[in-house]
Amino acid sequence: MHAPHLGGVGAYTTGTVLAVIAAVLFAVGSVLQHEALSGRDVDLRTLVRRPMWLGGQAATASGSLVQVAALAFAPVSIVQPLLAGAMVIALGVRAVWDRCLPGRGEVLGAVCTVGGLTAFLLTARPAQGRPDHLPNPVVVLGVVAGVLVLVGLAARTRRGAAPAAVVCGVCAGIAAGCAAVLISSAFKEAGHSGHALTDGAFWFLVAAAIVVAVVAQVGSQQAYSRGALAWSLPALTVLDPLAAIPAARLLLGERLEPGHAAAWGPAALVAVVGVVLLARTGETCRRPFLRPRAAAGARDPAGKP
């Protein structure tokens, strides 16, 4: 029996670069989708006629493909925390879109988030798990069922209030984290069997990953439509890695070296504090540059300029 390989972010350069690219694509996609959905009912027939929503979907879909590629080269415990950087990138894109400079709270939150994530990735020592540690089908079905129930209950919340956006963001984040682990599980099963095309367990994991990923996307749409991006995106961003890391431990045997917890634990906490600070910033533009868009100042209850 081989011991799992432990290594920091430097041991997974390809996966790290791909995860950063995925974070950029997710950030652009989230801003475009939020702009198209904010304060409006989710009506697919109307949305498919909105170029902004379609562009957001294209960016998100591209990010998902790049994320899948990243999970083939790096552990979940590296890829998913890196995707949290989408929070900072998204607010930067939002600032450019609204032509409004970030406030002090946003700058402090961005510094804490980036600094915390950087320290976490430099000090954490993730292991991809033993090659013979494969997911239990019963546990996989339990994860899928749990995600369906969570997002289904979140969909019953009302629009237009911060709690609803946060609840939907939390459930979508949990679903996204679980989807990433199931994708990684499928890669592991394929490598273990050596003949994925005829391996029933591989296709079972692929199907489970697709279902959970679709549910996560539905949950994110619900979150974006229920309130400000500053409410929904932080909840989604924080819960994604928080759910993915223990799920990877359960399904894949991945772990973080406990002896380094004194370093990566506080770093992760700083990153979470940064995300919370970013979440507490308002949508009112106090430092416009050039000619600010109407959306950067005030919006009516329907979310229209």
Side-chain angles (χ1 to χ4, degrees), residues 175-198:
C178 291
V181 175
L182 290 171
I183 292 168
S184 187
S185 300
F187 279 121
K188 187 171 184 178
E189 175 64 34
H192 178 76
S193 67
H195 46 84
L197 294 180
T198 58

Side-chain angles (χ1 to χ4, degrees), residues 34-264:
H34 178 265
E35 188 70 19
L37 285 167
S38 182
R40 301 173 176 91
D41 291 335
V42 179
D43 183 348
L44 184 59
R45 291 175 297 180
T46 302
L47 290 175
V48 295
R49 294 194 293 269
R50 291 179 181 162
M52 189 173 297
W53 184 82
L54 292 174
Q57 286 294 308
T60 300
S62 299
S64 298
L65 292 175
V66 177
Q67 177 193 7
V68 169
L71 289 167
F73 292 99
V76 171
S77 51
I78 281 183
V79 175
Q80 296 311 108
L82 270 172
L83 296 181
M87 177 72 188
V88 177
I89 299 169
L91 290 175
V93 173
R94 180 91 252 177
V96 173
W97 176 264
D98 288 338
R99 301 173 186 174
C100 182
L101 294 173
R104 293 179 181 177
E106 291 172 315
V107 172
L108 178 60
V111 169
C112 289
T113 302
V114 173
L117 285 175
T118 300
F120 173 85
L121 293 168
L122 290 176
T123 56
R125 291 293 183 269
Q128 289 187 314
R130 300 191 311 269
D132 59 340
H133 189 123
L134 298 173
N136 186 309
V138 175
V139 177
V140 171
L141 287 175
V143 170
V144 174
V147 166
L148 286 170
V149 170
L150 274 178
V151 176
L153 291 175
R156 300 173 65 86
T157 58
R158 295 181 179 180
R159 293 180 176 82
V166 171
V167 168
C168 288
V170 165
C171 294
I174 293 173
C178 291
V181 175
L182 290 171
I183 292 168
S184 187
S185 300
F187 279 121
K188 187 171 184 178
E189 175 64 34
H192 178 76
S193 67
H195 46 84
L197 294 180
T198 58
D199 183 8
F202 168 76
W203 290 111
F204 167 72
L205 289 169
V206 169
I210 291 174
V211 169
V212 175
V214 170
V215 171
Q217 178 65 6
V218 171
S220 67
Q221 300 299 300
Q222 296 291 344
Y224 296 148
S225 69
R226 276 163 171 72
L229 190 65
W231 298 333
S232 56
L233 187 58
L236 198 160
T237 302
V238 170
L239 266 295
D240 186 331
L242 286 183
I245 291 176
R249 174 69 171 174
L250 175 66
L251 293 176
L252 297 172
E254 287 187 12
R255 63 184 178 86
L256 294 175
E257 178 59 53
H260 295 81
W264 59 255

Side-chain angles (χ1 to χ4, degrees), residues 273-303:
V273 170
V275 171
V276 172
L277 288 173
L278 289 171
R280 292 176 63 85
T281 60
E283 288 196 320
T284 301
C285 179
R286 295 186 176 90
R287 301 175 63 191
F289 64 92
L290 298 179
R291 182 179 179 181
R293 298 177 189 271
R299 293 176 180 267
D300 67 16

